[in-house]
Every structure is written in C-alpha cells, then in structure tokens.
C-alpha cells in the first residue's frame, strides 16, 4: 500500500515537472508553464513573436507606446478602428486589455488579468522586471543580441510546442531574402548601389543610423554592403549620425530612410531639410506598417518583399 502511494506521488511530481520548462533569457532564468494560456505582451516586439506563432487568441494584455487613451474603450480594450489597417490587425486582440507602455506598465491591471506568462523587449536600465516576475513568469529579450528575433522565436516556440512552425518561418524569411537578392542582382542594382545605409529620422531632428536588427539585417541579406560603419551606442542597435556624415556618404551608397512610427516620425522634416534634399536622388523612403514591431519574422517578410519592389522602382 505504501509502495503504491509512493509511486503515485512520484508520478504526480513527474507530471508536474513535465508541465513546466526552464527558459534562459536576457533578464534571467524563468520557470514557465508549458503551453501557457494567458499572455501579456508589453510591446510590439513581443506581440510580433506571439502573432507569428499563431497565439494571438491567448493575449489578455497588450502594452504599447503608440496607444493613447482616446484609442481605448471604456473597459480598456483597443477600439476596432485603432486596430484596423495596422500591424495589430494581423492577429486577434478582442480579448486583450491595454496595460500601459513598456517603460511604465500598469502593474495593477496586469495583476488583475492573472497571466501565465509576460513577454517583453528589454535593454540596459529597463525596470520593473522584479515586480512583473512577482505577478507571473516574465521573460525579456534584448535587441542587440546576435540572432535576436530568431532565438526569441525558438525560445517561445518551445513553451508552446510550436518549434516546427518557428523553423518554417525562419526558413521562409531566408528564402524571401535570397529571392529578393537575386532579383536586385538581375536588375543591376548592385552595379550602381553596392552599398546601403538605413537612416531613421526622429521628430526633433535627430537621425539614427541602424547598425543591427532594425531593417539593416534584411538589407544586408538582400545583398547590400554597409555604406558606413558606426558603433551601436543607442540600445545596441543604432548610432546618432550627423549631417556631415550623411553628406559624406559615397555616391555608390543607397540611402534607405526608415521612419519610426507614430509621433516619433520625423521623415517629412528630414526630406525637406538641406541634407534630405541633397540625398533625395539616391534615397528611398520605406515606411513600416503602423504600430509595427521593428523586427521579427512577419516584419522581415514584409520588409524584404516591399523594399525590393521599392528599390526596383527607384532604378527605373
């Protein structure tokens, strides 16, 4: 009898262990319930990974720096018209409440949602990890890590048993970039512009040169060499670029203007500036979807195809 009870106890413990897994991420090591059902995503980056895995119906809370109080219903959900025509429309957010922005999430709202897992983008100095972890298992990923979105997607795919889907997406992005590279090569683009830079003009006149993660990695995968080398001093992915540096770019360098979203977009002012006017003959403006992540499989698939088309039109 005692032996039977002991065996039953061991089986129950084994079953409980099998339902959790350990995930190492950029903010620590976290025990997570396998196939978590209630998710809070604190920014567009995390949202993109969850959308890519087909898990949007599990999102109970969403954070964003691009959502204003006027975009919300009385009970804290996103108004349908705010979702329509944006990246948000790629999934189902009907069950998700807004939980604030990524720097100052509303901890009381998150607690009330009883999440099984909280996912977020992070960087040096980002706060609230300990507070969030007391509410639910929390994982954070840095943009400046090598293989950023691919490793994050693979991590989360393990939690939900969707590894095969993650690998298919990663391969699809690589195949799309290779196809785009062949098309650009055949069109003679690299004879004129073997190099490229990705410049993001922010409101207020500060321009950033992206050196990692944000669009530039797809640009490289399409076959372009870097038109300018710089250290990634901002969030590990960008560097402030001066007007002098922009004007000093070689004639063989394509300038890809990649404006940030929402209230941060300074593209129009940049294009009307003396620098923008000097560069306009070899510049293309590539705008992301509204309320879009900076990167991720869904973003790369759009970026690669749309940017290839845009560059071909520029060459006509």
């Amino acid at each position: 009898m005692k032996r039977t009870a002991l065996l039953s106890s061991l089986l129950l413990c084994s079953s409980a262990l099998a339902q959790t897994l350990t995930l190492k991420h950029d903010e620590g090591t976290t025990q997570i319930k396998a196939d978590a059902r209630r998710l809070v995503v604190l920014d567009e980056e995390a949202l993109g990974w969850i959308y890519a895995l087909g898990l949007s119906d599990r999102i109970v809370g969403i954070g964003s720096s691009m959502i204003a109080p006027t975009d919300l219903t009385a009970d804290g959900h996103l108004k349908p018209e705010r979702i329509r025509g944006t990246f948000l429309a790629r999934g189902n957010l009907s069950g998700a409440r807004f939980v604030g922005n990524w720097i100052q999430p509303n901890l009381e709202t998150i607690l009330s949602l009883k999440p099984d897992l909280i996912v977020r983008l992070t960087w040096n100095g980002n706060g609230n990890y300990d507070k969030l972890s007391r509410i639910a298992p929390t994982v954070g990923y840095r943009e400046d890590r090598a293989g950023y979105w691919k490793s994050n997607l693979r991590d989360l795919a393990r939690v939900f048993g969707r590894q095969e889907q993650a690998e298919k997406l990663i391969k699809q992005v690589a195949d799309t970039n290779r196809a785009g590279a062949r098309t650009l090569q055949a069109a003679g683009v690299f004879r004129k512009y073997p190099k490229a830079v990705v410049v993001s003009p922010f409101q207020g006149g500060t321009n950033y040169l992206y050196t990692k993660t944000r669009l530039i990695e797809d640009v490289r995968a399409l076959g372009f060499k870097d038109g300018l080398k710089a250290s990634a001093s901002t969030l590990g992915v960008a560097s402030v670029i001066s007007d002098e540096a922009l004007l000093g770019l070689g004639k063989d360098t394509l300038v890809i203007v990649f404006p940030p979203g929402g209230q941060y977009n300074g593209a129009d002012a940049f294009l009307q500036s003396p620098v923008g006017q000097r560069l306009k003959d070899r510049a293309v403006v590539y705008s992301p979807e509204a309320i879009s992540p900076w990167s991720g499989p869904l973003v790369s698939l759009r970026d690669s195809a749309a940017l290839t088309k845009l560059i071909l039109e520029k060459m006509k």
Side-chain angles (χ1 to χ4, degrees):
M1 193 75 174
K2 289 183 179 179
R3 184 179 179 183
T4 302
L6 178 61
L7 286 172
S8 298
S9 177
L10 288 172
L11 287 171
L12 286 171
C13 289
S14 298
S15 175
L17 288 172
Q19 293 173 8
T20 64
L21 53 86
T22 302
L23 210 60
K24 290 185 178 181
H25 53 96
D26 293 329
E27 297 191 281
T29 301
T30 302
Q31 293 287 327
I32 300 172
K33 181 191 298 184
D35 204 30
R37 307 299 301 183
R38 298 179 63 80
L39 311 178
V40 168
V41 292
L42 288 182
D43 45 74
E44 291 79 16
E45 299 298 310
L47 181 69
W49 310 325
I50 297 302
Y51 271 12
L53 293 172
L55 299 165
S56 63
D57 59 332
R58 303 189 189 191
I59 299 173
V60 296
I62 179 173
S64 174
S65 61
M66 300 184 192
I67 300 298
T70 53
D71 297 324
L72 305 176
T73 63
D75 59 356
H77 290 75
L78 294 176
K79 292 178 179 177
E81 59 267 29
R82 187 62 177 110
I83 295 173
R84 195 177 302 120
T86 74
F87 183 87
L88 303 179
R90 290 177 176 243
N92 175 17
L93 290 177
S94 60
R97 286 185 62 191
F98 185 64
V99 297
N101 65 46
W102 53 358
I103 298 174
Q104 295 178 311
N106 188 317
L107 299 174
E108 290 184 3
T109 300
I110 295 173
L111 179 63
S112 72
L113 295 174
K114 299 179 181 178
D116 298 320
L117 177 63
I118 301 170
V119 188
R120 72 176 189 168
L121 169 70
T122 194
W123 58 89
N124 285 340
N126 191 19
N128 292 308
Y129 177 73
D130 291 342
K131 293 176 182 177
L132 290 166
S133 295
R134 285 196 288 271
I135 295 174
T138 300
V139 296
Y141 294 100
R142 295 171 58 105
E143 280 186 285
D144 59 352
R145 184 157 52 86
Y148 167 61
W149 69 258
K150 297 181 184 69
S151 59
N152 305 349
L153 190 71
R154 285 173 170 137
D155 269 3
L156 294 171
R158 284 177 52 222
V159 175
F160 302 101
R162 303 203 176 191
Q163 294 94 323
E164 184 177 350
Q165 184 171 340
E167 295 306 320
K168 284 182 178 178
L169 281 165
I170 291 169
K171 182 178 184 301
Q172 188 179 359
V173 169
D175 290 346
T176 301
N177 278 328
R178 278 193 290 269
R182 289 193 296 268
T183 300
L184 295 173
Q185 178 72 41
V189 171
F190 302 126
R191 288 196 294 273
K192 186 171 185 179
Y193 297 120
K195 301 176 183 179
V197 293
V198 175
V199 177
S200 189
F202 276 66
Q203 279 283 5
T206 301
N207 300 316
Y208 289 91
L209 176 76
Y210 285 132
T211 59
K212 189 180 291 186
T213 305
R214 300 185 180 185
L215 187 63
I216 185 62
E217 292 184 5
D218 287 316
V219 170
R220 291 170 182 148
L222 285 171
F224 292 96
K225 305 298 183 185
D226 288 350
L228 184 64
K229 299 287 187 180
S231 60
S233 55
T234 303
L235 299 179
V237 301
S239 178
V240 174
I241 185 169
S242 67
D243 290 350
E244 291 76 16
L246 285 169
L247 291 173
L249 291 170
K251 298 293 186 183
D252 61 351
T253 300
L254 180 69
V255 179
I256 301 170
V257 179
F258 184 47
Q263 69 269 32
Y264 306 107
N265 188 338
D268 288 342
F270 172 76
L271 293 170
Q272 294 303 315
S273 71
V275 175
Q277 289 294 298
R278 289 271 298 275
L279 295 173
K280 66 179 182 179
D281 289 340
R282 54 189 171 113
V284 295
V285 180
Y286 177 66
S287 298
E289 286 179 278
I291 318 184
S292 173
W294 288 108
S295 64
L298 302 181
V299 174
S300 281
L301 288 171
R302 178 188 189 271
D303 288 351
S304 181
L307 189 56
T308 297
K309 181 179 179 181
L310 187 66
I311 293 168
L312 291 173
E313 290 173 351
K314 181 70 176 180
M315 294 293 291
K316 289 180 180 178

